[in-house]
Amino acid sequence: MNLLLTGAAGGVATQIRPLLLERYGSVLLSDRVQPEALQDGETFVAADLGEPDQIDALMKQCDAIIHLGGVSVEAPWQPVLEANIAGLYNVYEAARVNKVQRIVFASSNHAVGFYPRDIVIDHEKPVRPDTRYGVSKAFGEALGGLYADKHGLRVFNIRIGNVADRPIDRRRMSIWLHPEDLVQLCAIGLEHPDVHFETVYGFSKCEPAWWDNRRATELGYQPKHRSSDFRDEVLAADPPPGPGDASEIYQGGTFVLEP
Ligand code: 15L
């Protein structure tokens, strides 16, 4: 497989690059700026999601993509529009033209961030974005559906929680995703023969769980890491919130408060 990782200089990519290299032997990396510490087997090509010619050139060199590129937090509309809406369209369109087989799309929990924490949601619930960023991720999921159904790309949307070595606070106890578990999900998206168009949640074994990830389980996902292993230290460092704090009612946390 000729694998392309976009957004390769970002925080999530930095955590999974060694694991991808181990599994796939070589990886083409792309971003606007060069990632640090390139290893044997990693090749970097600079590209801007807003430049269709640059994206087209990238797609000529790969047959599968993990797309982490774009704006990864709430931001003003213009950068969200340019990278996550128009830029993602450039990616899908170049993928279609160059007959790329598969795309793993880094969606986000913020596509569903306005669901309250006291209900468990699955992959069939309608989106409830908490931000412009979350709206762009919902758009990205839908764009993947179009290219899967109309053009036959195999698309795997992962609604990623928070990628880190450990849960960093009370909210992340429910949405934490260890890099190894993320790579396991990416591998399903890149390799599973039944993937046509799928949306799954990107979290490790978390408690309390807000997401029913049965579709990922059906496809073979078996997370190895458990947030409860960190419960005592995380809860001690992050005291319970006061009543009525909106950022504690909704799954998206402080994103729901962003103007
Ligand atoms: C995301 O979608 C962001 O990319 C990441 O930086 C975190 O903020 C994460 O959500 C989260 O909800 O913790």
Side-chain angles (χ1 to χ4, degrees):
M1 180 189 306
N2 295 314
L3 176 62
L4 166 67
L5 177 68
T6 69
V12 172
T14 303
Q15 294 177 77
I16 65 170
R17 273 173 50 201
L19 303 169
L20 292 175
L21 201 51
E22 196 181 316
R23 189 175 181 100
Y24 295 107
S26 64
V27 186
L28 179 62
L29 305 178
S30 171
D31 207 313
R32 288 188 297 192
V33 294
Q34 177 158 336
E36 286 175 10
L38 289 187
Q39 303 295 308
D40 283 351
E42 291 183 322
T43 308
F44 173 67
V45 176
D48 187 322
L49 293 172
E51 299 291 340
D53 291 349
Q54 294 177 13
I55 301 303
D56 187 68
L58 267 185
M59 297 300 156
K60 291 190 180 351
Q61 301 175 62
C62 69
D63 41 49
I65 307 166
I66 300 173
H67 181 59
L68 303 182
V71 173
S72 64
V73 290
E74 179 59 324
W77 178 240
Q78 202 56 33
V80 172
L81 173 64
E82 286 169 13
N84 294 15
I85 305 283
L88 186 66
Y89 181 79
N90 292 338
V91 169
Y92 268 104
E93 193 46 20
R96 177 188 70 78
V97 168
N98 290 289
K99 301 195 167 30
V100 170
Q101 302 291 306
R102 295 194 185 232
I103 298 193
V104 172
F105 172 59
S107 183
S108 167
N109 71 91
H110 298 288
V112 288
F114 256 122
Y115 279 101
R117 296 180 187 189
D118 57 4
I119 63 165
V120 174
I121 56 171
D122 67 13
H123 58 288
E124 292 178 334
K125 280 274 194 192
V127 292
R128 284 179 82 171
D130 57 23
T131 40
R132 292 174 288 279
Y133 163 66
V135 169
S136 75
K137 291 300 184 181
F139 166 84
E141 292 181 3
L143 189 65
L146 175 67
Y147 277 80
D149 290 339
K150 189 164 277 190
H151 303 297
L153 264 91
R154 293 172 182 258
V155 174
F156 195 71
N157 295 324
I158 309 174
R159 288 183 179 158
I160 295 176
N162 187 254
V163 182
D165 279 341
R166 40 179 293 152
I168 55 174
D169 59 18
R170 189 175 285 269
R171 172 173 167 265
R172 271 57 174 247
M173 287 294 293
S174 294
I175 69 165
W176 171 55
L177 177 59
H178 190 281
E180 286 175 3
D181 290 337
L182 173 55
V183 169
Q184 192 191 142
L185 283 170
C186 290
I188 291 170
L190 295 172
E191 299 170 28
H192 197 294
D194 295 344
V195 168
H196 164 65
F197 173 60
E198 303 284 352
T199 298
V200 301
Y201 288 91
F203 67 132
S204 294
K205 276 183 210 155
C206 287
E207 290 173 20
W210 302 337
W211 304 328
D212 169 355
N213 216 11
R214 67 180 182 283
R215 188 58 192 140
T217 307
E218 284 164 9
L219 291 166
Y221 179 51
Q222 293 185 318
K224 300 276 179 286
H225 298 269
R226 192 184 288 276
S227 73
S228 58
D229 290 345
F230 301 89
R231 182 190 293 122
D232 293 347
E233 56 202 272
V234 170
L235 298 192
D238 187 6
D245 180 343
S247 71
E248 296 294 333
I249 293 171
Y250 297 105
Q251 297 187 1
T254 54
F255 280 59
V256 306
L257 303 176
E258 292 276 355

